[in-house]
Amino acid sequence: MTRIVEVRGLRKTFDGRHQQVEALRGIDLATEEGEYLVLLGPSGCGKTTLLRTIAGLEQPTEGDVLIGGNVVNELPPRARQVAMVFQSYALYPHKTVLANIVFPLKAERMDRDAREKKARWAADLLGIGRLLDRKPRELSGGERQRVALARAMVREPAVFLLDEPLSNLDAKLRASARDELKRFQQRIGTTTIYVTHDQAEAMGLGDRIAVMDAGQVRQLGRPRDVYDDPADTFVATFIGSPPMNLVRRDGMLVGFRPEHLLPAEVVGAGAVKIPFVVDRIEYLSGDRHVYGTITTLGEATRVIARLPSTVTTPLTAGETADFAVATDRLRFFDPETGDRMDAVPLEWSQP
Amino acid sequence: MTQATTATRPPATPATGRRRLADREGPLASLFLLPAVVYVVALVGVPFVLAIGFAFSDVTAGDPSYDWAGLDAYRRVFDDPVFWQALRNTLVFTGVSMVLIVVFGKVLANILIADFRGKWLVRFLVLLPWTTPVALSTVSWLWLLDSIFSPIDWLLRQVGLLEGNMYWLGRPSLATASVIAVHVWRLVPLAAVIIMAGLIAIPRDIDEAARVDGAGFWRRMFEVTIPLTMPLIAVAALFGAIFTFTDMAVVYVLTRGGPTNSTQVLASWAFVRGIEGGDVAQGAAIALFLFPLLLAAAVLILRAVRRMQVM
């Protein structure tokens, strides 16, 4: 019974005033025990709806939600052994931190001493032990997030559901909170489903990432797979910053990541040489982002190259430089469906 | 010529460009507040001062000349057991109505925020008792509670629960219950709308968090919803109390304070003594009893509101 949470053929349609909105269009997904599964996608892709359906806050229009191997479609959220951390944290504003954390235990009718002991244990684990008498409004964003986590963990749920828990934190805090979240989950080892639109969070936290778009899972895989071997052009361009370059050529799309378009002298053998008309250069955190046009690979296309600081080849805007992409770094897609195709040898590769 | 010059220099010079009234916030604020101030002074302030003056005088309907009489009027008030009964009735009516208004108001508010077909019609119907003038709606209650032709009695007879008549307004306990019922009926919509505003303001996340946290309907209601709407529930209770406490229309139309003064309240007793009986001084003295109690209630509840403002 390694599949803690599983959804089968999940569909969800919302009845709008004038039209129906299909939020989920047939999702099949299963978590592995103890894994950190990230649902990643642009806003409106259905990732939050999927999470809420698993929590029982939404009823699926079609399909099943299984938790611990049992279909829980008919169960209310409280009977599903899930704990959820909301984007807003949804702390009870009139209760102290301690009362917030013990609330789920009170609902379980655990006796007073036991629940306070457990709440203190959770609070100490998250480093908020000294805040127990405060009200949520007296806490900082990071502290509120930890209270929400403590409230979620005291129930010892089968699964944690986290809905963009870092998006209310400022950028500086977000990085450290991300690290903390990951260590926290590794320590307690509970299966976690995490919703985010931020690819850095997804890549950093996820054991696996489900990339979603328009109510469907486009790709499910380890961060590495999703990045290096995107299943379609959506994943290829949604993940990676800057996104993958796509060049149309002879009934296919040739894709390569900006960091693989490099000056020919540093690429070596087994590469496609590409003359690159440099247009503009940006310096970002030590890397050079080079904007320009390539014409020989396929149709003339504006692309981006990302040169690490170790590549010191001099480049000047307005000039043409010799660039290359290693052949094993090229990815091929069907231009109609956007789906991945098998690799094709580019025999004319010399310009 | 001059026109041409101004056209080339559109911004008026500060020396000549006068600020109009609409630009000056201070005088404008005073101007807008003036009607309200006049209204309150003329219709609340003046009668209030008059009432204090009359309460310490010997003014009667037959002899309106003003003579200082000290506490004579109060002595007459206190010597009359009906006053004490009216005071007790007022407190009982207010207390019981307030509790019922808040409880039913909360229930109704829950119904009103629910999403269902024909919601607007239900909301409209629910608000009717509040929008109807008190005297008019009470007259229809007078008919509903009629000693012989009461439709309620007829219904009870039809289903076999009653033989004869209830005499709703003819027996002290039933009359008390009837007065309270009418107060509750007319004030519940107001309370419901106020509480509904509080319920709508609760973030959806918080209710959902409580559901995921394992709280059932009652626990969510008592531990989350009610504490979070407490300030508005207090306001609803305050309005319910004030409107019941100061009202004489319901009692006057339904029972005239009867039977044997068992539904007499301060407002109706002041009217009986001061206007119908002509003893203006005594009427004013009785009416003034409304003031400290109302003041205390208002201060208490407003203080409670401030204390409970958690967000």
Side-chain angles (χ1 to χ4, degrees):
Chain A
M1 209 192 64
T2 53
R3 292 176 164 184
I4 298 294
V5 177
E6 188 177 353
V7 298
R8 290 182 190 156
L10 205 62
R11 287 178 177 279
K12 174 71 186 175
T13 312
F14 289 106
D15 290 323
R17 197 174 275 264
H18 300 294
Q19 59 185 24
Q20 290 200 325
V21 181
E22 272 192 274
L24 301 176
R25 311 176 182 215
I27 300 228
D28 295 282
L29 204 60
T31 62
E32 285 158 17
E33 178 134 33
E35 102 170 314
Y36 214 114
L37 177 69
V38 175
L39 307 179
L40 172 68
S43 45
C45 72
K47 56 194 190 297
T48 295
T49 305
L50 176 55
L51 194 77
R52 290 169 56 84
T53 310
I54 293 169
L57 295 170
E58 305 283 356
Q59 281 300 311
T61 310
E62 223 178 273
D64 290 326
V65 177
L66 291 86
I67 294 177
N70 304 309
V71 176
V72 296
N73 285 16
E74 300 304 318
L75 294 183
R78 64 172 185 276
R80 291 190 177 197
Q81 278 188 290
V82 299
M84 187 154 169
V85 174
F86 290 78
Q87 187 171 0
S88 65
Y89 309 138
L91 300 178
Y92 309 119
H94 57 292
K95 290 177 181 287
T96 61
V97 168
L98 180 65
N100 263 283
I101 300 174
V102 298
F103 185 78
L105 301 176
K106 227 164 132 185
E108 276 174 15
R109 299 178 196 286
M110 184 183 274
D111 73 72
R112 176 180 284 270
D113 291 339
R115 68 188 186 223
E116 290 217 352
K117 201 173 148 199
K118 200 156 181 196
R120 282 178 199 285
W121 162 76
D124 287 337
L125 192 74
L126 286 155
I128 49 171
R130 70 204 155 75
L131 304 174
L132 290 177
D133 296 327
R134 303 246 195 113
K135 290 275 179 70
R137 74 189 127 113
E138 300 164 324
L139 305 178
S140 70
E143 288 165 344
R144 283 179 203 184
Q145 191 219 12
R146 281 180 232 171
V147 175
L149 274 177
R151 184 175 71 183
M153 73 180 270
V154 286
R155 301 185 60 202
E156 296 182 14
V159 59
F160 279 127
L161 306 175
L162 309 183
D163 186 8
E164 310 222 10
L166 301 181
S167 60
N168 279 342
L169 303 179
D170 58 59
K172 217 172 179 179
L173 200 55
R174 209 175 293 168
S176 65
R178 191 165 83 199
D179 176 48
E180 227 169 69
L181 265 183
K182 183 71 183 177
R183 281 187 296 156
F184 165 76
Q185 195 262 352
Q186 281 170 342
R187 195 154 155 191
I188 61 172
T190 305
T191 309
T192 301
I193 302 180
Y194 184 105
V195 162
T196 184
H197 64 270
D198 180 331
Q199 49 168 307
E201 275 172 31
M203 301 298 275
L205 286 169
D207 293 323
R208 284 193 305 163
I209 298 176
V211 185
M212 291 182 64
D213 181 46
Q216 286 171 319
V217 174
R218 293 304 193 94
Q219 187 171 7
L220 174 64
R222 292 175 302 154
R224 244 208 120 87
D225 304 334
V226 174
Y227 187 82
D228 283 343
D229 285 304
D232 59 22
T233 50
F234 173 79
V235 178
T237 50
F238 185 73
I239 290 180
S241 170
M244 183 178 270
N245 296 307
L246 293 173
V247 178
R248 186 179 283 271
R249 171 183 198 265
D250 294 347
M252 61 184 173
L253 286 170
V254 182
F256 52 89
R257 295 252 171 229
E259 63 269 29
H260 298 136
L261 177 62
L262 294 168
E265 65 203 56
V266 298
V267 178
V272 185
K273 289 216 162 43
I274 304 170
F276 185 33
V277 185
V278 176
D279 182 28
R280 198 159 65 79
I281 303 167
E282 284 177 359
Y283 290 91
L284 289 175
S285 354
D287 291 353
R288 277 186 290 175
H289 288 204
V290 185
Y291 293 74
T293 311
I294 57 172
T295 48
T296 57
L297 188 60
E299 290 174 15
T301 311
R302 235 178 118 69
V303 297
I304 305 172
R306 196 171 90 203
L307 276 52
S309 55
T310 48
V311 175
T312 53
T313 316
L315 292 171
T316 320
E319 287 180 4
T320 303
D322 281 335
F323 271 58
V325 178
T327 14
D328 62 347
R329 292 300 188 180
L330 293 171
R331 302 289 179 261
F332 301 88
F333 303 93
D334 184 321
E336 302 303 320
T337 61
D339 288 340
R340 184 76 180 271
M341 292 164 47
D342 291 333
V344 187
L346 300 177
E347 63 282 344
W348 48 271
S349 51
Q350 297 309 318
Chain B
M1 188 62 190
T2 28
Q3 270 178 342
T5 346
T6 32
T8 49
R9 285 185 299 153
T13 52
T16 57
R18 278 196 43 185
R19 288 201 306 164
R20 278 170 292 172
L21 181 61
D23 298 322
R24 295 188 293 166
E25 289 185 3
L28 202 61
S30 311
L31 190 70
F32 285 170
L33 280 175
L34 196 63
V37 172
V38 169
Y39 181 88
V40 170
V41 167
L43 294 176
V44 179
V46 171
F48 182 58
V49 172
L50 275 180
I52 294 174
F54 285 150
F56 298 98
S57 73
D58 65 351
V59 173
T60 63
D63 176 15
S65 65
Y66 190 94
D67 295 296
W68 179 261
L71 295 171
D72 275 4
Y74 281 95
R75 229 164 270 138
R76 288 201 299 284
V77 169
F78 292 154
D79 285 345
D80 190 342
V82 177
F83 167 76
W84 297 107
Q85 172 142 29
L87 182 62
R88 197 167 55 240
N89 287 344
T90 308
L91 294 175
V92 168
F93 288 179
T94 304
V96 175
S97 307
M98 191 170 87
V99 171
L100 293 177
I101 286 166
V102 167
V103 171
F104 289 128
K106 170 78 171 79
V107 172
L108 198 57
N110 276 2
I111 294 170
L112 289 185
I113 56 165
D115 203 19
F116 54 88
R117 214 174 260 278
K119 181 166 69 170
W120 67 270
L121 184 69
V122 174
R123 285 189 179 180
F124 171 73
L125 290 176
V126 155
L127 286 176
L128 269 184
W130 167 246
T131 53
T132 314
V134 187
L136 285 184
S137 58
T138 311
V139 167
S140 61
W141 276 101
L142 189 61
W143 171 73
L144 281 172
L145 300 168
D146 189 272
S147 58
I148 295 165
F149 303 111
S150 163
I152 300 172
D153 289 2
W154 178 85
L155 203 66
L156 290 174
R157 277 196 300 271
Q158 292 301 308
V159 295
L161 289 172
L162 182 71
E163 287 175 38
N165 279 301
M166 287 293 283
Y167 303 108
W168 293 101
L169 303 173
R171 300 189 213 169
S173 57
L174 277 181
T176 301
S178 299
V179 170
I180 289 174
V182 174
H183 276 306
V184 171
W185 171 82
R186 81 183 174 98
L187 290 171
V188 158
L190 175 69
V193 170
I194 293 173
I195 294 172
M196 192 172 96
L199 292 178
I200 288 171
I202 296 179
R204 196 177 63 154
D205 278 2
I206 290 191
D207 185 60
E208 290 182 341
R211 278 163 57 189
V212 177
D213 278 346
F217 176 79
W218 296 106
R219 187 180 297 278
R220 288 207 306 280
M221 182 154 113
F222 284 106
E223 286 208 44
V224 179
T225 319
I226 288 185
L228 286 177
T229 42
M230 209 55 196
L232 280 166
I233 289 176
V235 169
L238 171 74
F239 276 113
I242 289 174
F243 284 129
T244 318
F245 196 71
T246 55
D247 181 77
M248 69 160 282
V250 172
V251 165
Y252 193 77
V253 172
L254 280 186
T255 64
R256 304 238 163 184
T260 60
N261 292 317
S262 59
T263 57
Q264 201 69 263
V265 290
L266 286 178
S268 61
W269 187 234
F271 185 77
V272 167
R273 283 297 181 192
I275 308 298
E276 294 187 333
D279 188 347
V280 177
Q282 198 185 346
I286 296 166
L288 280 180
F289 272 88
L290 296 173
F291 177 68
L293 286 165
L294 277 181
L295 189 68
V299 168
L300 273 180
I301 296 183
L302 283 177
R303 188 181 293 171
V305 168
R306 193 174 313 156
R307 218 188 5 250
M308 282 178 289
Q309 267 169 351
V310 285
M311 285 182 283

